Amino acid sequence: MNNLNRMGAYQTGHYRNLLLDYGYSEDLIAVKLELTWEQLFGDNEATRIYYPVGNEMGYILDTGNLDVRTEGMSYGMMMAVQLDKKDVFDRLWRWASLYMYMTSGENKGYFAWSCNTDGTKRANGPAPDGEEYFALALLFASHRWGDQSSPLDYGVKARALLHDCVHNGEDGKGYPMWNRSNHLIKFVPNCEFTDPSYHLPHFYELFALWANEADRQFWNEAAVASRQFLTQACHPVTGLAPEYAYYDGSPNDERGFGHFFSDSYRVAANIGLDAEWFGTSGWMRKEVDCIQSFFANKHPDDYRRYTISGKPFEEKSLHPVGLVATNAMASLAYPEGTYARASVELFWNTPVREGNRRYYDNCLYLFALLALSGHFRIW
Ligand SMILES: O[C@@H]1[C@@H](O)[C@H](O[C@@H]2CO[C@@H](O[C@@H]3CO[C@@H](O)[C@H](O)[C@H]3O)[C@H](O)[C@H]2O)OC[C@H]1O
């Protein structure tokens, strides 16, 4: 464990139910959690994102782009392991293992980030946020349910994946997902910039405990590096982070992703979960206060794309419900903050999204509900 002088659930064993602390009743919280799972994973055509396939498999559909992404598959697995839904977890993992995993070429050992619903690949490269979520979801599954025969040998698969993420390229073929010198996660393996929303230091703390022994120091250093990186990537006044950034944290707008838009929303949520698991810090409190105060006087119907200094574009947010959710989840890092309770109240009163853009919003929605109710746990 790296030099953290903070106390979170990892140290105390206690997961805060912030919804309860803010006055929502235990019964209502339980009902909302069950209902939301059902809305996303049941057969309500207006809200679902999960589709079973035959007796053994299933996928999460990006309903806006009509593809299956490693992001959604790994998110679905994380949700399933948190809620003890082994059947759903195993179905998703079987589908990802069969169709997305790449066994040859430059990206051997990684997962194709986008596939069609019939399993054919739409891309031959990975998106590292999927791999990090797959790895931790698998480790949790291994601890919660025990390893079975392949592909359900969860712990074995997680360690192999983390090994490849760090060591690919050492034989001259392919690239690691993390820059080996500065320990920062890349946007894609064969580039040298990053995506602030991919930085999950709270995951790396756990990889440092459970990955192959030879890589544990690497993961400790990755946790330190990502926490430092985030302080550089988030704007000091608005708290907004860009979608893509250079390693020094400055926005990378080469392809038009240097502003606060869809990917960026997750940064605040990630800080909330890091605080819940490993404790909060002065910077995390300030960051949450900045971003929540930036959105405090804005209505979700009018959320836009913004420069990180806060200048709005004409373009509306594609995922306002997701942004409501991530801003609420951030409250875990600063529950006493000026806007923390109002951010959670807005989330509580916002329904899951319907319509074709619902996938990303509803993923962020269920993550926020899990975290705010103390159900997003280290297993
Ligand atoms: O260029 C691709 C890159 O796009 C890919 O990134 C994945 C897709 O985008 C990210 O999330 C999306 C946020 O906007 C919503 O509208 C979408 O529904 C989400 O999927 C996601 O985090 C990435 O995994 O990575 C590979 C690159 O080659």
Side-chain angles (χ1 to χ4, degrees), residues 71-89:
E71 171 196 66
M73 295 297 281
S74 60
Y75 283 7
M77 285 164 55
M78 182 60 84
M79 292 162 182
V81 71
Q82 292 297 334
L83 292 173
D84 204 12
K85 310 280 187 184
K86 186 174 184 302
D87 176 60
V88 171
F89 185 101

PDB file of all heavy atoms in Angstrom, residues 71-89:
ATOM      1  N   GLU A  71     -15.809  -1.196 -22.561  1.00  0.00           N
ATOM      2  CA  GLU A  71     -16.247  -0.318 -21.474  1.00  0.00           C
ATOM      3  C   GLU A  71     -17.529  -0.865 -20.839  1.00  0.00           C
ATOM      4  O   GLU A  71     -17.598  -1.121 -19.626  1.00  0.00           O
ATOM      5  CB  GLU A  71     -16.484   1.067 -22.071  1.00  0.00           C
ATOM      6  CG  GLU A  71     -17.143   2.090 -21.200  1.00  0.00           C
ATOM      7  CD  GLU A  71     -17.638   3.240 -22.078  1.00  0.00           C
ATOM      8  OE1 GLU A  71     -18.558   3.030 -22.915  1.00  0.00           O
ATOM      9  OE2 GLU A  71     -17.103   4.334 -21.941  1.00  0.00           O
ATOM     10  N   GLY A  72     -18.554  -1.084 -21.674  1.00  0.00           N
ATOM     11  CA  GLY A  72     -19.843  -1.533 -21.155  1.00  0.00           C
ATOM     12  C   GLY A  72     -19.780  -2.944 -20.587  1.00  0.00           C
ATOM     13  O   GLY A  72     -20.389  -3.229 -19.547  1.00  0.00           O
ATOM     14  N   MET A  73     -19.041  -3.823 -21.265  1.00  0.00           N
ATOM     15  CA  MET A  73     -18.939  -5.206 -20.780  1.00  0.00           C
ATOM     16  C   MET A  73     -18.274  -5.239 -19.405  1.00  0.00           C
ATOM     17  O   MET A  73     -18.723  -5.933 -18.487  1.00  0.00           O
ATOM     18  CB  MET A  73     -18.146  -6.054 -21.774  1.00  0.00           C
ATOM     19  CG  MET A  73     -18.816  -6.209 -23.123  1.00  0.00           C
ATOM     20  SD  MET A  73     -20.400  -7.073 -23.046  1.00  0.00           S
ATOM     21  CE  MET A  73     -19.859  -8.775 -22.922  1.00  0.00           C
ATOM     22  N   SER A  74     -17.199  -4.472 -19.269  1.00  0.00           N
ATOM     23  CA  SER A  74     -16.474  -4.487 -17.987  1.00  0.00           C
ATOM     24  C   SER A  74     -17.277  -3.749 -16.910  1.00  0.00           C
ATOM     25  O   SER A  74     -17.264  -4.147 -15.742  1.00  0.00           O
ATOM     26  CB  SER A  74     -15.086  -3.871 -18.156  1.00  0.00           C
ATOM     27  OG  SER A  74     -15.184  -2.533 -18.599  1.00  0.00           O
ATOM     28  N   TYR A  75     -18.004  -2.704 -17.297  1.00  0.00           N
ATOM     29  CA  TYR A  75     -18.872  -2.030 -16.320  1.00  0.00           C
ATOM     30  C   TYR A  75     -19.959  -3.003 -15.842  1.00  0.00           C
ATOM     31  O   TYR A  75     -20.274  -3.076 -14.650  1.00  0.00           O
ATOM     32  CB  TYR A  75     -19.554  -0.814 -16.947  1.00  0.00           C
ATOM     33  CG  TYR A  75     -18.715   0.433 -17.124  1.00  0.00           C
ATOM     34  CD1 TYR A  75     -17.350   0.456 -16.873  1.00  0.00           C
ATOM     35  CD2 TYR A  75     -19.308   1.617 -17.549  1.00  0.00           C
ATOM     36  CE1 TYR A  75     -16.605   1.621 -17.049  1.00  0.00           C
ATOM     37  CE2 TYR A  75     -18.576   2.787 -17.718  1.00  0.00           C
ATOM     38  CZ  TYR A  75     -17.235   2.784 -17.480  1.00  0.00           C
ATOM     39  OH  TYR A  75     -16.520   3.932 -17.645  1.00  0.00           O
ATOM     40  N   GLY A  76     -20.545  -3.712 -16.802  1.00  0.00           N
ATOM     41  CA  GLY A  76     -21.605  -4.658 -16.441  1.00  0.00           C
ATOM     42  C   GLY A  76     -21.083  -5.715 -15.483  1.00  0.00           C
ATOM     43  O   GLY A  76     -21.769  -6.102 -14.526  1.00  0.00           O
ATOM     44  N   MET A  77     -19.863  -6.173 -15.732  1.00  0.00           N
ATOM     45  CA  MET A  77     -19.272  -7.181 -14.832  1.00  0.00           C
ATOM     46  C   MET A  77     -19.026  -6.594 -13.446  1.00  0.00           C
ATOM     47  O   MET A  77     -19.249  -7.263 -12.431  1.00  0.00           O
ATOM     48  CB  MET A  77     -17.975  -7.724 -15.442  1.00  0.00           C
ATOM     49  CG  MET A  77     -18.237  -8.695 -16.589  1.00  0.00           C
ATOM     50  SD  MET A  77     -16.785  -9.003 -17.618  1.00  0.00           S
ATOM     51  CE  MET A  77     -15.570  -9.541 -16.438  1.00  0.00           C
ATOM     52  N   MET A  78     -18.569  -5.347 -13.408  1.00  0.00           N
ATOM     53  CA  MET A  78     -18.343  -4.723 -12.089  1.00  0.00           C
ATOM     54  C   MET A  78     -19.671  -4.580 -11.340  1.00  0.00           C
ATOM     55  O   MET A  78     -19.765  -4.845 -10.132  1.00  0.00           O
ATOM     56  CB  MET A  78     -17.655  -3.362 -12.270  1.00  0.00           C
ATOM     57  CG  MET A  78     -17.339  -2.652 -10.968  1.00  0.00           C
ATOM     58  SD  MET A  78     -16.222  -3.597  -9.896  1.00  0.00           S
ATOM     59  CE  MET A  78     -14.622  -3.143 -10.571  1.00  0.00           C
ATOM     60  N   MET A  79     -20.718  -4.159 -12.043  1.00  0.00           N
ATOM     61  CA  MET A  79     -22.035  -4.026 -11.394  1.00  0.00           C
ATOM     62  C   MET A  79     -22.512  -5.388 -10.887  1.00  0.00           C
ATOM     63  O   MET A  79     -23.018  -5.512  -9.771  1.00  0.00           O
ATOM     64  CB  MET A  79     -23.056  -3.479 -12.400  1.00  0.00           C
ATOM     65  CG  MET A  79     -22.781  -2.046 -12.814  1.00  0.00           C
ATOM     66  SD  MET A  79     -23.673  -1.646 -14.345  1.00  0.00           S
ATOM     67  CE  MET A  79     -23.105   0.034 -14.610  1.00  0.00           C
ATOM     68  N   ALA A  80     -22.312  -6.410 -11.728  1.00  0.00           N
ATOM     69  CA  ALA A  80     -22.808  -7.745 -11.367  1.00  0.00           C
ATOM     70  C   ALA A  80     -22.067  -8.307 -10.153  1.00  0.00           C
ATOM     71  O   ALA A  80     -22.693  -8.879  -9.254  1.00  0.00           O
ATOM     72  CB  ALA A  80     -22.665  -8.683 -12.568  1.00  0.00           C
ATOM     73  N   VAL A  81     -20.761  -8.131 -10.109  1.00  0.00           N
ATOM     74  CA  VAL A  81     -20.036  -8.691  -8.958  1.00  0.00           C
ATOM     75  C   VAL A  81     -20.399  -7.921  -7.686  1.00  0.00           C
ATOM     76  O   VAL A  81     -20.496  -8.505  -6.602  1.00  0.00           O
ATOM     77  CB  VAL A  81     -18.511  -8.766  -9.199  1.00  0.00           C
ATOM     78  CG1 VAL A  81     -17.845  -7.411  -9.197  1.00  0.00           C
ATOM     79  CG2 VAL A  81     -17.842  -9.685  -8.167  1.00  0.00           C
ATOM     80  N   GLN A  82     -20.630  -6.617  -7.820  1.00  0.00           N
ATOM     81  CA  GLN A  82     -21.010  -5.843  -6.631  1.00  0.00           C
ATOM     82  C   GLN A  82     -22.339  -6.336  -6.067  1.00  0.00           C
ATOM     83  O   GLN A  82     -22.535  -6.360  -4.857  1.00  0.00           O
ATOM     84  CB  GLN A  82     -21.115  -4.346  -6.969  1.00  0.00           C
ATOM     85  CG  GLN A  82     -19.773  -3.686  -7.311  1.00  0.00           C
ATOM     86  CD  GLN A  82     -18.789  -3.686  -6.163  1.00  0.00           C
ATOM     87  OE1 GLN A  82     -19.179  -3.722  -4.994  1.00  0.00           O
ATOM     88  NE2 GLN A  82     -17.495  -3.677  -6.472  1.00  0.00           N
ATOM     89  N   LEU A  83     -23.250  -6.730  -6.956  1.00  0.00           N
ATOM     90  CA  LEU A  83     -24.599  -7.112  -6.505  1.00  0.00           C
ATOM     91  C   LEU A  83     -24.801  -8.628  -6.444  1.00  0.00           C
ATOM     92  O   LEU A  83     -25.925  -9.100  -6.308  1.00  0.00           O
ATOM     93  CB  LEU A  83     -25.645  -6.448  -7.407  1.00  0.00           C
ATOM     94  CG  LEU A  83     -25.696  -4.918  -7.256  1.00  0.00           C
ATOM     95  CD1 LEU A  83     -26.617  -4.295  -8.298  1.00  0.00           C
ATOM     96  CD2 LEU A  83     -26.166  -4.514  -5.857  1.00  0.00           C
ATOM     97  N   ASP A  84     -23.690  -9.366  -6.552  1.00  0.00           N
ATOM     98  CA  ASP A  84     -23.735 -10.827  -6.417  1.00  0.00           C
ATOM     99  C   ASP A  84     -24.591 -11.484  -7.504  1.00  0.00           C
ATOM    100  O   ASP A  84     -25.310 -12.447  -7.243  1.00  0.00           O
ATOM    101  CB  ASP A  84     -24.255 -11.192  -5.013  1.00  0.00           C
ATOM    102  CG  ASP A  84     -23.801 -12.593  -4.587  1.00  0.00           C
ATOM    103  OD1 ASP A  84     -22.916 -13.167  -5.260  1.00  0.00           O
ATOM    104  OD2 ASP A  84     -24.346 -13.107  -3.599  1.00  0.00           O
ATOM    105  N   LYS A  85     -24.504 -10.963  -8.710  1.00  0.00           N
ATOM    106  CA  LYS A  85     -25.266 -11.523  -9.839  1.00  0.00           C
ATOM    107  C   LYS A  85     -24.311 -12.359 -10.689  1.00  0.00           C
ATOM    108  O   LYS A  85     -23.852 -11.912 -11.751  1.00  0.00           O
ATOM    109  CB  LYS A  85     -25.889 -10.402 -10.677  1.00  0.00           C
ATOM    110  CG  LYS A  85     -26.660  -9.374  -9.886  1.00  0.00           C
ATOM    111  CD  LYS A  85     -28.045  -9.839  -9.532  1.00  0.00           C
ATOM    112  CE  LYS A  85     -28.855  -8.722  -8.887  1.00  0.00           C
ATOM    113  NZ  LYS A  85     -30.171  -9.140  -8.433  1.00  0.00           N
ATOM    114  N   LYS A  86     -23.996 -13.536 -10.219  1.00  0.00           N
ATOM    115  CA  LYS A  86     -22.975 -14.358 -10.869  1.00  0.00           C
ATOM    116  C   LYS A  86     -23.378 -14.784 -12.280  1.00  0.00           C
ATOM    117  O   LYS A  86     -22.545 -14.835 -13.189  1.00  0.00           O
ATOM    118  CB  LYS A  86     -22.674 -15.590  -9.994  1.00  0.00           C
ATOM    119  CG  LYS A  86     -21.515 -16.420 -10.521  1.00  0.00           C
ATOM    120  CD  LYS A  86     -21.159 -17.537  -9.552  1.00  0.00           C
ATOM    121  CE  LYS A  86     -19.934 -18.313 -10.016  1.00  0.00           C
ATOM    122  NZ  LYS A  86     -20.061 -18.910 -11.328  1.00  0.00           N
ATOM    123  N   ASP A  87     -24.641 -15.086 -12.475  1.00  0.00           N
ATOM    124  CA  ASP A  87     -25.079 -15.538 -13.800  1.00  0.00           C
ATOM    125  C   ASP A  87     -24.808 -14.446 -14.851  1.00  0.00           C
ATOM    126  O   ASP A  87     -24.256 -14.728 -15.922  1.00  0.00           O
ATOM    127  CB  ASP A  87     -26.567 -15.904 -13.774  1.00  0.00           C
ATOM    128  CG  ASP A  87     -27.059 -16.283 -15.164  1.00  0.00           C
ATOM    129  OD1 ASP A  87     -26.511 -17.249 -15.730  1.00  0.00           O
ATOM    130  OD2 ASP A  87     -27.940 -15.591 -15.702  1.00  0.00           O
ATOM    131  N   VAL A  88     -25.164 -13.213 -14.522  1.00  0.00           N
ATOM    132  CA  VAL A  88     -24.941 -12.107 -15.465  1.00  0.00           C
ATOM    133  C   VAL A  88     -23.446 -11.908 -15.676  1.00  0.00           C
ATOM    134  O   VAL A  88     -22.966 -11.753 -16.812  1.00  0.00           O
ATOM    135  CB  VAL A  88     -25.606 -10.801 -14.960  1.00  0.00           C
ATOM    136  CG1 VAL A  88     -25.186  -9.613 -15.806  1.00  0.00           C
ATOM    137  CG2 VAL A  88     -27.118 -10.944 -14.958  1.00  0.00           C
ATOM    138  N   PHE A  89     -22.692 -11.922 -14.595  1.00  0.00           N
ATOM    139  CA  PHE A  89     -21.235 -11.738 -14.697  1.00  0.00           C
ATOM    140  C   PHE A  89     -20.639 -12.782 -15.642  1.00  0.00           C
ATOM    141  O   PHE A  89     -19.886 -12.454 -16.565  1.00  0.00           O
ATOM    142  CB  PHE A  89     -20.605 -11.874 -13.308  1.00  0.00           C
ATOM    143  CG  PHE A  89     -19.117 -11.573 -13.277  1.00  0.00           C
ATOM    144  CD1 PHE A  89     -18.651 -10.348 -12.828  1.00  0.00           C
ATOM    145  CD2 PHE A  89     -18.187 -12.523 -13.690  1.00  0.00           C
ATOM    146  CE1 PHE A  89     -17.285 -10.069 -12.804  1.00  0.00           C
ATOM    147  CE2 PHE A  89     -16.823 -12.247 -13.673  1.00  0.00           C
ATOM    148  CZ  PHE A  89     -16.369 -11.024 -13.232  1.00  0.00           C
TER     149      PHE A  89
END
